[in-house]
Amino acid sequence: MLGALCLAWTLALGLSHPALKDHGKNLNVTGSWHHLGSHGSPNDTDLVQRCADEGGFDAVTLDETGTMLFFRGDSVWKGFHSPGQPINASWPHLQGPVDAALRIHHPEQPDIHDNVYLFQGKHVWAYAHGQLRGGYPRLIEEEFKGVPGDLDAAVECHPKECAAETVLFFKGRQVFSYDLKAKALKERAWPAVADCSAALRWMERYYCFQGIRFLRFDPVTGDVPPHYPLDARDYFMRCPGRGHGQDVRQNATQWGPYDRCSGQPFQAFSSDDAGRTYAFRGGLYFRLDSHRDGWHAWALSHTWHDLQGEVDAAFSWEDKLYLIQGPQVTIYRSGPGYSRVEGYPRPLQEELGITGVDAAFTCPRSSDLYIIQGKTMRHVDLLQGSQGPAPGPAVAIPHAHVDGALCNADGVHLFHGPSFYRYANVKELQAATGPAAAQDTAAVFFKCPAAGGDGAPHGPPHQG
């Protein structure tokens, strides 16, 4: 988990730290977190091998526990701190090197969902919880019809990030997209994404490694953002003398918004019907439901194009995410990524019949919106006709102020400062004569020690 934190910091923040001075409108953050560099000796043989100027990795993937695996030759490094070990010590049926690796995403087939697939030559090995599945190894062309052998890289693509559950395969300058449900193969013309020696999906981002360098790419269009490629040793591993921005963590003002365990309040939360859960703080957001693979703070514009500043409230309804900023609301449609609905932002008064909001929430698969202002809450029926929603009467709640709100399968959660208050449902909240017991937001939602701060040596920010 510490390694994932460090990687997240490296990949989430901007190329230059001065951008951190403004966590709102001028925040220029382009990735997740950063590591401090290696604490080992430069003469350490393992470090020399991992951080060599030549070679890079043969394959990179996450396993079912969220541990990142780096394959090179006959060795694999598990996470960011463990020494290399022989591949056949963990996968005795397979001798290195590995051509490609991925953690498959296919919830409709629970027997293969989250399996780790290792590719070598014309065959593929499938492992569930570290155990080779029956019937493997198999020919790649039997498992993925039409996909050639001797691959260079492979990576899974999730729904909402791609049009369907797919796997991207790379061989030389060829890129193939394989639909797991339709079992259909298409070749992509992606000149910017070629010659990948390894590929990785991490935290909704897609990376192509080209030797020791890497680039980030859009899994639908193949587009690559500016500033790439970058050196993987500054972002994906601990190497002597490498890493950036080590002064940032020493400044609590700059560091606080990026540290999920800092205790600083979150201004908004949102969870959609697919279970994607976001927490907003300053000009950043965290995704909570993917914590198995680590934690990160991203700039708003990474996921919601052109969105800057702070989010005051957020809620989801019918595959759309509503982001409220001051007196206006912007709606983004969920699909492969998020796309802004034409005509937005619009005034809150026109869209929802309100002029301001402290917090807002909808519950799963419900059109009932609840708006909290001060110590009152109002109901809005999002299914109302062409005249637009008309907020219902204000109902007192047992809180003088709320920073954010979230409704999910566990109930209604109201957030204030470092604490949250849970109610089983809206009726319990409306009937409450006093606030529920206060609980620690960082400890419960972000898996931090209850006292605040995760005790880990965090890294300063950078880009990725």
Side-chain angles (χ1 to χ4, degrees):
M1 183 62 71
L2 168 59
L5 273 169
C6 298
L7 171 58
W9 267 103
T10 306
L11 297 177
L13 308 177
L15 276 171
S16 57
H17 318 139
L20 300 175
K21 295 179 180 178
D22 187 343
H23 302 297
K25 295 181 179 179
N26 298 320
L27 189 66
N28 179 22
V29 178
T30 51
S32 180
W33 298 357
H34 177 104
H35 68 68
L36 292 170
S38 174
H39 298 294
S41 166
N43 296 319
D44 185 330
T45 302
D46 185 75
L47 280 177
V48 170
Q49 182 183 7
R50 182 170 52 183
C51 300
D53 290 332
E54 303 295 334
F57 291 100
D58 299 325
V60 183
T61 190
L62 294 162
D63 69 11
E64 56 268 81
T65 68
T67 299
M68 196 168 291
L69 306 175
F70 300 90
F71 296 88
R72 179 191 290 156
D74 295 327
S75 299
V76 60
W77 287 263
K78 297 182 178 182
F80 304 88
H81 307 279
S82 300
Q85 57 182 264
I87 290 175
N88 62 8
S90 297
W91 302 280
H93 312 86
L94 183 65
Q95 304 292 325
V98 169
D99 296 332
L102 61 88
R103 182 182 69 188
I104 203 159
H105 183 86
H106 201 15
E108 293 184 6
Q109 293 192 23
D111 58 325
I112 71 168
H113 180 59
D114 274 351
N115 284 190
V116 173
Y117 280 51
L118 302 179
F119 299 81
Q120 186 184 71
K122 299 184 183 303
H123 292 85
V124 57
W125 285 252
Y127 291 86
H129 307 291
Q131 300 298 313
L132 183 67
R133 290 182 52 215
Y136 289 86
R138 297 184 63 189
L139 288 171
I140 295 171
E141 62 184 11
E142 293 178 355
E143 185 80 359
F144 305 99
K145 186 177 180 181
V147 174
D150 299 307
L151 295 164
D152 293 325
V155 64
E156 73 282 5
C157 192
H158 291 210
K160 301 295 185 181
E161 298 164 15
C162 285
E165 288 161 339
T166 59
V167 177
L168 300 174
F169 294 98
F170 302 83
K171 184 171 182 176
R173 302 196 65 81
Q174 292 180 295
V175 182
F176 302 94
S177 176
Y178 184 86
D179 188 315
L180 290 172
K181 185 174 183 179
K183 300 187 183 303
L185 184 68
K186 295 181 180 179
E187 187 167 357
R188 304 297 186 191
W190 290 355
V193 186
D195 300 318
C196 299
S197 57
L200 171 70
R201 176 195 179 272
W202 189 76
M203 296 291 191
E204 304 176 85
R205 301 295 189 271
Y206 292 79
Y207 300 96
C208 161
F209 293 81
Q210 298 168 327
I212 202 62
R213 298 176 73 77
F214 75 98
L215 52 85
R216 181 163 63 86
F217 67 93
D218 185 310
V220 176
T221 66
D223 293 339
V224 176
H227 310 305
Y228 290 94
L230 299 170
D231 195 309
R233 293 170 296 183
D234 290 326
Y235 301 86
F236 284 92
M237 63 199 78
R238 288 181 177 270
C239 291
R242 306 200 71 101
H244 304 272
Q246 302 196 32
D247 58 314
V248 175
R249 185 181 178 263
Q250 300 174 14
N251 188 319
T253 301
Q254 293 182 350
W255 170 263
Y258 301 90
D259 180 3
R260 75 188 198 280
C261 300
S262 68
Q264 292 190 9
F266 290 88
Q267 285 80 46
F269 288 79
S270 178
S271 181
D272 63 18
D273 290 343
R276 292 181 296 184
T277 305
Y278 301 99
F280 299 87
R281 177 197 277 164
L284 306 168
Y285 77 90
F286 292 79
R287 183 165 173 181
L288 278 64
D289 59 292
S290 60
H291 65 82
R292 171 183 64 170
D293 296 336
W295 298 94
H296 65 341
W298 297 104
L300 297 176
S301 60
H302 265 260
T303 294
W304 301 287
H305 185 63
D306 291 335
L307 186 69
Q308 296 186 7
E310 297 189 3
V311 173
D312 298 319
F315 66 91
S316 294
W317 180 55
E318 289 191 335
D319 286 328
K320 296 188 291 292
L321 178 63
Y322 293 66
L323 298 175
I324 299 172
Q325 298 177 292
Q328 65 183 23
V329 58
T330 305
I331 302 178
Y332 287 83
R333 192 178 305 279
S334 174
Y338 284 91
S339 57
R340 188 172 62 184
V341 175
E342 187 176 354
Y344 287 85
R346 290 184 60 197
L348 268 176
Q349 181 68 51
E350 295 179 9
E351 186 71 27
L352 299 173
I354 58 175
T355 56
V357 57
D358 292 330
F361 68 89
T362 52
C363 294
R365 297 171 182 82
S366 172
S367 61
D368 293 318
L369 168 66
Y370 294 91
I371 299 291
I372 298 176
Q373 295 171 292
K375 57 183 179 180
T376 64
M377 182 172 70
R378 304 174 75 183
H379 169 252
V380 176
D381 184 356
L382 294 171
L383 289 177
Q384 285 184 352
S386 59
Q387 299 301 316
V395 176
I397 60 173
H399 295 270
H401 177 74
V402 170
D403 295 324
L406 173 69
C407 181
N408 58 20
D410 295 327
V412 177
H413 308 79
L414 303 185
F415 300 84
H416 179 60
S419 303
F420 77 94
Y421 307 81
R422 178 189 171 276
Y423 300 87
N425 48 48
V426 174
K427 288 184 178 179
E428 182 175 285
L429 171 60
Q430 292 172 326
T433 57
Q439 300 184 59
D440 189 325
T441 298
V444 175
F445 282 86
F446 293 90
K447 315 302 180 187
C448 302
D454 62 10
H458 302 285
H462 204 72
Q463 165 171 3

